[in-house]
Amino acid sequence: QVTLRESGPALVKPTQTLTVTCTFSGFALSTTGMCVSWIRQTPGMALEWLGVITWDGDTYYNASLKTRLTISKASSKDQVVLTMTNVGPGDTGTYYCTRSELLTYHYALDVWGQGTTVTVSS
Amino acid sequence: DIQMTQSPSTLSASVGDRVTITCRANQTIANYLHWYQQKPGKAPNLLIYTASSLQTGVAPRFSGSGSASGTDFTLTISNLQPEDFATYFCHQSYTTPNTFGQGTKLDIK
């Protein structure tokens, strides 16, 4: 069974750095075609794609956030970390990590974590 | 960025009805179009991938289609059941950044 789970702070102050960890099981990110993507849902319910890390370690980011965003593999092979610097109120939302796969799913997000809600406020 | 225009934004229907939600891309996305259902307080759940493939475990009353131009897509729900009243999103993964439709809230008439 494939599962993903996000963990991170519920409250972050403006200008601080947000770090959210995705711990997954049931698949290997090293498998060709496999990816972990990050999606954010605003309080108004809009979904925003933040970025992705691929099976071979490549990363792609939403250009609107690129200078502030880093997605990386943790030392544990079953974790991916999202780091966002200099957060502001517009970064408030629910952060999801998701699995996506190229060969069958053409990068559809087939499994989602439960999400972690982050509020940016002083 | 590819813009996804989803309509309608809200839809009222009754149990047993057949409803259609559409999503239009402002450029071709081939069949890199996927549909999700989201219920309050839950993460989105994949229903249809690559425009018309039914995700494992999803009821066959859900179906999807796409145009030959690769810009127009529909999600159809036949014989609406009480558990289908939720919000639906389309998603294109043809290019980065991936983008989503703004969502369609399906509620009970």
Side-chain angles (χ1 to χ4, degrees), chain A residues 37 39 41 45-49 52 60-63 96 102 104-115, chain B residues 1 31-32 34 36 38 41-46 48-50 55-56 89 91 93 96-102:
Chain A
S37 303
I39 310 298
Q41 188 161 37
M45 299 305 287
L47 292 168
E48 181 179 20
W49 182 89
V52 62
Y60 302 87
Y61 300 105
N62 192 319
Y96 294 101
L102 170 62
T104 301
Y105 283 94
H106 286 197
Y107 296 126
L109 309 170
D110 70 324
V111 186
W112 295 58
Q114 86 278 10
Chain B
D1 299 1
N31 69 341
Y32 285 66
H34 322 292
Y36 305 84
Q38 186 176 28
K42 301 293 188 182
N45 181 54
L46 179 65
I48 301 286
Y49 62 96
T50 59
Q55 173 65 334
T56 302
F89 293 93
H91 159 225
S93 60
T96 60
N98 289 188
T99 47
F100 294 85
Q102 60 267 53

Side-chain angles (χ1 to χ4, degrees), chain B residues 14-37:
Chain B
S14 302
V15 172
D17 284 354
R18 179 176 181 268
V19 298
T20 298
I21 299 168
T22 65
C23 204
R24 172 168 288 176
N26 64 352
Q27 66 182 78
T28 184
I29 57 172
N31 69 341
Y32 285 66
L33 187 284
H34 322 292
W35 292 97
Y36 305 84
Q37 177 193 67

